[in-house]
Amino acid sequence: MLQVQISSTAVMERNKDGDKKGPINTQAYVQILGTGMDTQETSPSVLLCFDHERFIFNAGEGLQRFCTEHKIKLSQVDHICLTRVCSETTGGLPGLLLTLAGMKNESSKSDDHVCIWGPPNLDLLVNAMKTYVPNAVMKKINIISQSGSALAPPDCDGKFKAVSISAILLSPIRLAGSDFSPNDTSIVYVCKLHDIRGKVDTVKAKACGLEDQRKLGQLQNGISVKSDLLDIEVHPDDVVGPTFPGPIVLIVDCPTEPHAQELLSAQALDAYYSDSQSNFTNVVNCIIHLSPATVVNSPVYEKWMRKFDSAQHIMARTTRKHETTPILVSSARIATRLHYLCPQLFPPPSFPSVQSDDDVAAPNIKVTVEGSVCGISAENLLKFTLRPPRKMGLDRSCVQNMMTSSLFIEELLSEIPEIADAATNISKFWRKHKEDEVKLSETEDSSDVVTEEPSKFSVPRCLENVQRDDLEIVFLGTGSSIPSKYRNVSSIYVNLFSKGGLLLDCGEGTLAQLKRRYGISGADNVVRNLKCIWISHIHADHQAGLARILALRRDLLKGVDHEPILVIGPENVGEFLNEYIKLEDLDMFFLDCWSTTGSKWDNMEAEDSSLQPCSKKLKPSTPFDDITLRKCLRKVLGEAGLVRLISFPVVHCDDAFGVILESTERMNCGKVVPGWKVVYSGDTRPCSEVIEASLGATILIHEATFEDGLVEEAIARNHSTIKEAIEVGDSAGAYRVILTHFSQRYPKVPALDEVSMQRTCIAFDLMSVNLADLPVLPKVLPYLKLLFRNNG
C-alpha cells in the first residue's frame, strides 16, 4: 500500500501581482459512463469534469460508442486514469488513443496528447500496444510506481488545474497457492478539489482602513497588507472568512476480497474516515465503487464503507434489476425496427439481459450508516455535482428515460405506416418453397418488388434440403475505423451450432455484441465453444476486442479440461499477443496466416499422406512449430465440420489477408451433396486474389467501405466501393454477396446503385444470415431501404 501525490494547484488563476483573474472551477461533477452496464462485459468508466479539465477513470471496450451516443466530447479529455490494467478496464484504450490522436492532429495543438496514469504493469500494456499504436500517441504514459516518487512530470504541465489526486495502491500479498501476482495491483484514486477561500468582509476591511481593491485580492490570496488609512498591518484572518474545504471523491476498485482487506488496512485513508481528527477538511462527499457486487456485499468491504458517515456511495458495478433501457439507444432502436420488419434475419435485440441472470444482477445496494441509507446502484449518466456548493449532490437530469421495444415500434409505425404491410410481405418469402422464384403480387408499389433472380445464378447444390442448424453468419460489427452509434467495428461470428463456431476478426466491442445477440449466458456459451479466431490484419478496428474475448474464455474454462484456442492472424498480431500475455494469460496459441495459405495446406498433405491429426495435448507452457499447430487446426476444423481454413493475401496494408472456409460434404437422399464455401475479403481493394478465392463461393462477404462516387478515396485508402465489391462477386460467380465494413459516414444505409443487386445484400449489426435463407436474401433489400427512407 502506497500513497502517491500527483499534483495540486490554486483554485484561482492570478496575474503576476496576485490579483484574481476569475474562477477556473465554477462547475464540477463526477459522472458514471455506463459502458458495459447492460451487458456486464467490461468495467464502467467514470468522468470527473471541470470547466477546463477532464479526467476519465478506466477505458473499457465500448467507451467511444457510449460517448458518441451521449454527446460526451472525448476531444476534451486530458487524462485517463486506470484503476487496473487488464482487458476489462483497458479494452477501449487503444482505439480511444488513436481517435484522440486523430482529433489532436486536426487541431492547432497537435502535440497535446492525453496523459495516461496507471499501476506499475501499465508498461506491459504499452509495450503490447506499440505493435499497432504509434509511439507518438503514447508518449505521455505515467506509471504510478511503488517507489513513492511524486508524479507531476513536466510534459503534463506538472499540475492539475482544479484538483489534487492521490493514488493508493492495493497489492494483495501473494500467499502460497494463491493466484495473485504483481499484475493484480489496483488503485484507489482520492480526488480532492481545491479549497475555496473565504470571502472578504467589506465591513471589517473598511474598519481596518483598506480602500485599495488590489489589497483585498492579496488578502484573499493569503498575503498580509499595509492599511491605507491606519498605521497597522492587516492579516488575512482579520477580514477574510473561513475557507470552504474542497469536496472529495473516491474512485474505488477492489476486484477481489483480498483487495478489500488491503483497502481496510490502508493507513493512507485514515485521514478521510469520519472519526479522524482532520475530518473537517477531509470530508469525503462521494465514493464511486467499481468493485463487483460479490466484493461490495462482503463483510470486509461493508465494514470499510461504514467508516464514512456522510459520503454518498454509488455502486457502479451492481446492475439494477428489471432495467429496460439499453445503453446504446440508437443502435437498439435500429435493431428493434429491423426485427419488426424481418425477424428471420434480425433476431430480437437483447435488452439488458441481466434480468434473467440473477448471479450477475444485484438489487439496489442500501448501506445503512447511523440509520441513514446512503448507498445506491448507479444509473447510466448519473451525476454527483461537486461545484457550485449549493448544488452538491446527486443529479439525475441526464439519466435516460425508460426506452423499450414497444416504444421503438410505436415510433416506427408513426413515421412509416406502410412498414406493417412491408413486414407482412417479407414474411411470405419464408412461407414459399426455397426454390420458388414467383414474384409477389400483393405489393402495390412495383418499386418495392425485387426482380426475380436470373436463372444463370441457380441455387447451388449445397443448399439442397439444408437444415437450419448447419450454418449461420452473425454480423457483430459492420462499420469501419471507429465504433459509431449505429455500427460497431468489424467482427463476424460463424455459428456452426452444435459443432461450435469461429470468429472472423474481433474489433473492439465484439463481446458486448455477442451478449446483445445471445444474452449474457448465451454469449458465454459462444465464447466457451469457439473453435478458433481468425484475424485479417493488425488495424484496431479488426482486432482490438481480441484480448477481452480470450480473457473471458480463459475464465469460463478455468478448472475444465480443455486446450488453448488457436488464434490465426498476421505476424504483427502474434507480436501483440506475445507482449500482452505478459500482462495476463490468454490461454491461446498463435498461428501465422502465411502458415494457412493453400500452398501450405497442399504441401503438408503431400508430406503427410497418412493425414494423422494432432495427437498432442496442447499446453501454453510448451512451444509448438507451425506444422504441429496446423495439424491441430485441422483436427479442430474437422470437429467443426470444416474441410479447410485457407488464408490468402489481399491488397490493403502489409500482411492483410482474406479467408476461405469450406465445409465437408454431406449425404442427402443417398446422394453426395458438396459442402458450402464462405469467403471473407477482410479489408482490400478489388483484386485477383479475392476473385480467385471466391470462385464458386456460396457466400462472399466483401468490404464496401465507400459509395461509388468515392473511387479515388477508396484507392488512396486501399478499400473498395460498393460497385467494385459487387463486381468482384460477379466475376467470381459467387451465389450471394453480402456487403459490410461501411464507412461511418453511412450510419444506417449506404448509397446503393439499383444495378446488379439481385444477389446482393447489405449487412447490419446483429444481422443473422442462415444458410437456408440465402435464396430469399436479396429480396429483402428494397424493404430495408424503405425502413430508412427518412434518414438514409
Side-chain angles (χ1 to χ4, degrees):
M1 297 171 297
L2 173 69
Q3 186 176 22
V4 182
Q5 191 69 25
I6 296 182
S7 69
S8 66
T9 187
V11 72
M12 295 283 187
E13 288 184 331
R14 299 177 182 276
N15 61 25
K16 61 182 180 180
D17 296 321
D19 295 334
K20 293 182 294 183
K21 291 166 59 179
I24 65 168
N25 185 27
T26 57
Q27 295 186 19
Y29 60 84
V30 61
Q31 185 175 31
I32 303 297
L33 306 186
T35 306
M37 285 179 60
D38 60 345
T39 55
Q40 297 292 312
E41 89 286 355
T42 189
S43 176
S45 297
V46 179
L47 172 66
L48 180 60
C49 186
F50 303 98
D51 291 338
H52 302 287
E53 204 166 30
R54 291 192 177 193
F55 300 78
I56 282 183
F57 297 85
N58 290 343
E61 289 190 22
L63 178 61
Q64 285 194 78
R65 290 195 80 186
F66 178 87
C67 292
T68 300
E69 172 82 26
H70 299 289
K71 297 180 174 59
I72 296 172
K73 295 182 178 180
L74 289 172
S75 60
Q76 298 179 358
V77 172
D78 304 284
H79 303 273
I80 299 173
C81 303
L82 303 174
T83 61
R84 286 180 290 137
V85 179
C86 59
S87 61
E88 183 184 6
T89 57
T90 66
L93 184 60
L96 178 58
L97 290 177
L98 290 169
T99 299
L100 290 176
M103 293 178 178
K104 303 293 186 183
N105 288 338
E106 293 174 1
S107 70
S108 57
K109 299 180 180 180
S110 60
D111 193 48
D112 187 22
H113 293 298
V114 66
C115 292
I116 305 171
W117 307 81
N121 56 346
L122 176 59
D123 60 340
L124 298 178
L125 177 64
V126 171
N127 289 336
M129 290 194 300
K130 284 180 180 178
T131 56
Y132 65 101
V133 178
N135 290 341
V137 177
M138 300 186 293
K139 63 182 180 180
K140 293 189 176 182
I141 304 297
N142 303 278
I143 305 296
I144 302 177
S145 68
Q146 298 179 2
S147 65
S149 59
L151 298 179
D155 58 351
C156 281
D157 299 326
K159 59 186 178 181
F160 297 149
K161 299 181 180 71
V163 63
S164 298
I165 299 181
S166 299
I168 299 171
L169 277 64
L170 304 178
S171 301
I173 299 174
R174 187 172 187 180
L175 303 175
S178 72
D179 293 330
F180 291 111
S181 73
N183 289 342
D184 293 311
T185 298
S186 67
I187 292 180
V188 175
Y189 287 100
V190 180
C191 310
K192 186 179 189 304
L193 277 65
H194 301 309
D195 298 341
I196 298 178
R197 295 189 179 91
K199 296 182 178 180
V200 174
D201 188 322
T202 55
V203 174
K204 291 182 178 180
K206 186 176 181 179
C208 291
L210 292 173
E211 293 184 341
D212 189 341
Q213 293 296 315
R214 291 179 299 175
K215 291 184 178 180
L216 299 183
Q218 291 174 326
L219 285 165
Q220 195 173 36
N221 198 30
I223 302 173
S224 298
V225 298
K226 181 76 174 179
S227 172
D228 298 312
L229 303 178
L230 304 175
D231 187 21
I232 61 173
E233 186 174 10
V234 182
H235 302 286
D237 292 342
D238 297 332
V239 297
V240 179
T243 297
F244 186 85
I248 298 175
V249 176
L250 269 58
I251 312 291
V252 183
D253 185 2
C254 287
T256 68
E257 288 192 39
H259 285 87
Q261 189 65 55
E262 286 288 294
L263 178 69
L264 183 63
S265 60
Q267 296 181 357
L269 283 169
D270 289 348
Y272 300 98
Y273 295 146
S274 297
D275 59 2
S276 170
Q277 294 181 352
S278 60
N279 66 347
F280 175 75
T281 57
N282 289 325
V283 175
V284 176
N285 303 88
C286 179
I287 303 178
I288 309 293
H289 300 268
L290 300 179
S291 310
T294 52
V295 176
V296 170
N297 292 330
S298 68
V300 171
Y301 201 90
E302 182 177 342
K303 181 179 180 181
W304 179 78
M305 291 175 63
R306 291 179 180 277
K307 290 179 174 290
F308 302 92
D309 285 350
S310 58
Q312 174 66 68
H313 296 274
I314 300 177
M315 312 302 172
R317 288 291 298 278
T318 55
T319 304
R320 304 192 311 162
K321 286 188 175 181
H322 311 300
E323 187 69 59
T324 58
T325 300
I327 282 183
L328 303 176
V329 176
S330 300
S331 176
R333 178 181 285 110
I334 286 183
T336 302
R337 291 181 170 208
L338 288 166
H339 171 67
Y340 176 85
L341 178 66
C342 184
Q344 296 83 358
L345 296 179
F346 304 98
S350 177
F351 282 178
S353 49
V354 293
Q355 296 177 57
S356 60
D357 291 89
D358 292 334
D359 58 323
V360 176
N364 284 354
I365 302 295
K366 294 183 178 180
V367 182
T368 303
V369 180
E370 294 185 356
S372 63
V373 176
C374 60
I376 64 167
S377 294
E379 295 176 84
N380 193 24
L381 295 175
L382 176 69
K383 287 182 180 180
F384 187 90
T385 300
L386 301 168
R387 293 246 166 93
R390 67 181 184 279
K391 293 185 178 181
M392 182 178 295
L394 292 171
D395 177 3
R396 291 186 170 87
S397 61
C398 295
V399 174
Q400 297 170 290
N401 295 324
M402 184 177 68
M403 300 297 293
T404 62
S405 295
S406 58
L407 292 176
F408 293 148
I409 298 304
E410 289 177 11
E411 291 176 351
L412 173 61
L413 294 175
S414 174
E415 293 175 14
I416 311 175
E418 59 268 40
I419 205 70
D421 291 336
T424 300
N425 289 339
I426 286 180
S427 67
K428 295 176 182 178
F429 295 150
W430 273 265
R431 292 204 297 266
K432 292 183 175 291
H433 190 272
K434 58 185 177 181
E435 295 185 32
D436 186 0
E437 298 295 331
V438 178
K439 292 183 179 181
L440 290 177
S441 59
E442 292 86 349
T443 307
E444 296 180 359
D445 186 354
S446 60
S447 64
D448 286 344
V449 181
V450 182
T451 58
E452 62 179 288
E453 189 175 17
S455 59
K456 67 177 180 178
F457 301 130
S458 57
V459 177
R461 287 191 60 207
C462 67
L463 298 185
E464 290 180 10
N465 292 330
V466 66
Q467 303 300 306
R468 298 195 67 84
D469 61 352
D470 192 332
L471 166 69
E472 186 169 75
I473 297 175
V474 181
F475 292 86
L476 302 174
T478 58
S480 66
S481 185
I482 62 174
S484 74
K485 289 168 58 175
Y486 304 105
R487 293 184 184 271
N488 199 49
V489 286
S490 296
S491 184
I492 299 169
Y493 173 54
V494 180
N495 185 6
L496 302 170
F497 296 92
S498 62
K499 298 176 183 178
L502 296 79
L503 278 177
L504 306 180
D505 278 335
C506 193
E508 178 188 336
T510 292
L511 178 57
Q513 293 293 85
L514 279 173
K515 293 189 175 186
R516 292 183 179 106
R517 170 62 178 84
Y518 294 104
I520 290 178
S521 59
D524 286 349
N525 288 333
V526 167
V527 174
R528 192 182 286 113
N529 295 316
L530 283 174
K531 295 300 182 183
C532 70
I533 301 175
W534 181 91
I535 303 296
S536 63
H537 60 292
I538 190 66
H539 288 167
D541 58 330
H542 291 259
Q543 54 82 230
L546 182 57
R548 189 74 194 108
I549 290 284
L550 294 173
L552 175 61
R553 182 182 181 274
R554 171 204 65 204
D555 294 340
L556 291 172
L557 294 176
K558 184 175 291 185
V560 178
D561 187 31
H562 71 283
E563 292 188 352
I565 192 172
L566 275 171
V567 176
I568 305 164
E571 181 181 8
N572 41 22
V573 172
E575 293 172 357
F576 161 73
L577 291 170
N578 286 334
E579 290 296 325
Y580 191 90
I581 58 178
K582 297 176 184 177
L583 179 63
E584 57 177 334
D585 173 42
L586 296 179
D587 194 27
M588 48 72 63
F589 280 110
F590 179 78
L591 185 61
D592 196 307
C593 279
W594 285 115
S595 296
T596 62
T597 59
S599 60
K600 288 289 186 179
W601 283 113
D602 294 340
N603 291 339
M604 187 182 74
E605 292 173 0
E607 295 170 359
D608 185 7
S609 57
S610 62
L611 297 179
Q612 292 295 318
C614 176
S615 60
K616 298 181 180 179
K617 183 74 173 178
L618 297 183
K619 296 181 180 179
S621 59
T622 306
F624 291 98
D625 57 32
D626 283 0
I627 294 177
T628 301
L629 293 177
R630 204 156 49 230
K631 288 182 178 180
C632 292
L633 173 60
R634 183 167 56 192
K635 174 186 174 183
V636 167
L637 295 176
E639 294 171 351
L642 301 178
V643 179
R644 289 198 295 182
L645 178 156
I646 302 175
S647 303
F648 58 92
V650 296
V651 180
H652 182 56
C653 61
D654 291 340
D655 265 4
F657 292 85
V659 67
I660 305 168
L661 297 177
E662 297 179 1
S663 71
T664 57
E665 298 174 340
R666 60 184 173 87
M667 297 299 296
N668 177 42
C669 301
K671 297 186 300 182
V672 176
V673 177
W676 46 259
K677 177 180 178 180
V678 173
V679 178
Y680 171 47
S681 71
D683 284 6
T684 184
R685 285 290 299 150
C687 60
S688 59
E689 290 85 353
V690 178
I691 295 174
E692 181 179 352
S694 305
L695 292 174
T698 315
I699 302 173
L700 167 60
I701 303 169
H702 201 292
E703 74 119 284
T705 308
F706 295 107
E707 61 185 282
D708 297 340
L710 297 176
V711 176
E712 291 184 1
E713 187 168 355
I715 294 174
R717 302 192 180 189
N718 276 337
H719 285 296
S720 300
T721 66
I722 292 172
K723 182 179 180 181
E724 288 174 332
I726 294 172
E727 289 174 345
V728 169
D730 287 341
S731 299
Y735 176 62
R736 290 290 179 255
V737 179
I738 304 178
L739 306 180
T740 187
H741 197 266
F742 301 108
S743 168
Q744 299 293 11
R745 71 183 72 185
Y746 318 120
K748 297 173 184 177
V749 175
L752 295 172
D753 190 345
E754 298 296 331
V755 181
S756 301
M757 299 300 291
Q758 290 88 354
R759 55 201 179 102
T760 304
C761 191
I762 58 176
F764 291 85
D765 281 17
L766 306 184
M767 178 178 175
S768 302
V769 179
N770 194 285
L771 193 64
D773 295 334
L774 292 183
V776 298
L777 186 61
K779 298 182 180 182
V780 179
L781 183 58
Y783 298 96
L784 294 177
K785 293 198 289 187
L786 170 66
L787 182 65
F788 297 109
R789 70 179 185 186
N790 295 335
N791 40 29

